[in-house]
Amino acid sequence: MFDAKTYEKRMEWFNRDRFGMFIHWGLYAIPARGEWVRSKERISLSDYQKYFGAFNPSRFDPAEWAKLAKEAGMKYAVLTAKHHDGFCLFDSKYTDYKSTNTPMGRDIVREYIDAFRAEGIRTGLYYSLLDWRHPDYPHFTDNIHPMRGNPEHKDEDRSFGNYLEYMHNQVKELCTDYGKIDLMWFDFSYDHLTGEAWRASDLMRMVRRLQPDIIIDDRLEYGSALYAPERKTVYSGDYASPEQVIPPNGLRDENGRPAAWEACVTMNNNWGYNSTDNYWKPADMLIRKLVECVSKGGNMLLNVGPDANGAIPEASVQILRDISRWMSKNGESIYGCGPSGMDKPEFGRITKRGNTLYYHVTENTVGPLPLIGIDIQNIKSISFLDSGAEILTASEWYTKQAEGVVMADLGPDPVLPDRADTVVKVELI
Ligand code: GLC
């Protein structure tokens, strides 16, 4: 059933591109209190309906989003086509609860795909298996539904089978009507709703039939942040999707081999727009987290949450611009790179591609930089990746004690050229 060769082929771009943009956008941008606002505040459907009638973003410009992603070095993107609230950002024929029926009147998914493809960025779609609006989705007995435990919303006459039909039909629409989709990001299994409760095998087979090269995450079954999907079922998914956490030691599959994974990370603490959440991760930190993911064999999917007008928050734009500055000069140490197989150095991290090592120096050393783990006979060149300037090995008497350890002389300035991460490129023979 599991064909390793086809799988490896399918995963090539994913394991090479390493860095993507996650985009959470929908009606919840209007209340501006995050994408779970309906559940957290137990907002009734009728009270939430006002956001549907008000959804008319004046600054929605997917070309601008795509340009920002491209400049930041993001090679793929994932947009919420439908989040837990059931609002569809695409012109589904199975519902009236969609962006084309709001005052905006546009198919957001269509415009997103066209704009990101035009920038050469691979396009993925996030689709929530949950649906707090659909009448046949459990309300009263569900643990997270906005109307959970509300006696006015008993579950007697709901047909989950009808909901599954609706959900499968929508996924079919997304896989049929929008051209090539590179990635399907299902979210999420919980309690008894996992695996075949979603008719996951049928769903997975249908997606793969319609989009033979598509990559699919692991959330059709109750995935975990720290375990790779054991490919024992049709719906195990192609990679693990740790959320707001980077697996301490990367991830290995059931055979002990490095597994594909992608850490999805918010820039603040919310996926959807939250006007009061200004706890922004500094760009330097996010650059180092991307390096950490790659050094452990994973990807980073970094989220933006556009506001009710469709604009990516200025703080996020600034972070992306700072990341772009670093990526434009150091992307070579990210793309197509992975673990070095060496111990993490005290001064930072190492990524590797073929015979080239990239030492990511985030904390300068006293004296020369010890390139532990390589033999001087095997070194072809040492240089700063950014400028290309040659780096000589140190010859001072005090480096002699470091028997066998290659000591790179980064120069007299204790302040590194790039405070986020100065990359030392070592080409091996
Ligand atoms: C969790 C959240 C969901 C978010 C997703 C992103 O599943 O419930 O709101 O879209 O994480 O990874």
Side-chain angles (χ1 to χ4, degrees), residues 19 30 44 51 93 117 139 145 188 191 197 208 230 233 238 254 260 265 269 321 366-367 382 388 394 407-408 423:
F19 188 29
I30 299 176
S44 70
Y51 303 128
K93 57 177 172 294
R117 279 216 193 102
H139 288 45
H145 192 284
F188 63 97
D191 298 345
R208 293 215 188 276
E230 303 233 344
T233 67
D238 294 319
E254 64 275 21
V265 177
N269 291 311
R321 292 232 163 93
V366 170
I382 308 176
M407 305 290 275
V423 183

Side-chain angles (χ1 to χ4, degrees), residues 259-396:
W261 55 272
E262 168 200 77
C264 53
V265 177
T266 52
M267 283 193 186
N268 51 11
N269 291 311
N270 278 270
W271 300 101
Y273 180 63
N274 184 316
S275 58
T276 59
D277 179 356
N278 290 303
Y279 297 102
W280 301 102
K281 299 173 183 73
D284 293 5
M285 174 186 176
L286 291 167
I287 289 164
R288 294 175 186 175
K289 295 305 123 190
L290 172 60
V291 169
E292 180 178 353
C293 287
V294 175
S295 74
K296 294 176 177 176
N299 291 17
M300 186 164 85
L301 188 63
L302 181 59
N303 184 72
V304 293
D307 64 21
N309 285 323
I312 294 176
E314 191 47 39
S316 297
V317 171
Q318 198 44 59
I319 288 167
L320 288 170
R321 292 232 163 93
D322 290 343
I323 291 173
S324 154
R325 178 195 58 75
W326 186 87
M327 282 295 280
S328 60
K329 297 186 284 185
N330 300 286
E332 175 187 324
S333 68
I334 297 293
Y335 304 128
C337 293
S340 65
M342 300 150 75
D343 291 342
K344 178 192 175 307
E346 286 178 340
F347 54 72
R349 296 189 184 277
I350 308 171
T351 57
K352 182 181 183 187
R353 183 185 57 252
N355 268 351
T356 304
L357 291 165
Y358 299 95
Y359 285 80
H360 297 263
V361 189
T362 52
E363 178 185 342
N364 206 350
T365 49
V366 170
L369 196 77
L371 303 183
I372 297 168
I374 46 178
D375 190 319
I376 194 144
Q377 274 77 31
N378 296 336
I379 293 178
K380 187 173 157 194
S381 69
I382 308 176
S383 59
F384 285 108
L385 177 58
D386 174 357
S387 65
E390 180 187 34
I391 294 173
L392 300 174
T393 51
S395 55
E396 286 75 5

Side-chain angles (χ1 to χ4, degrees), residues 22 24 35-36 83-84 126 185 187-188 219 243 264 271:
F22 213 171
H24 277 73
E35 77 287 354
W36 273 67
H83 205 265
H84 309 336
Y126 164 112
W185 216 100
D187 191 34
F188 63 97
R219 297 192 177 193
E243 178 179 322
C264 53
W271 300 101

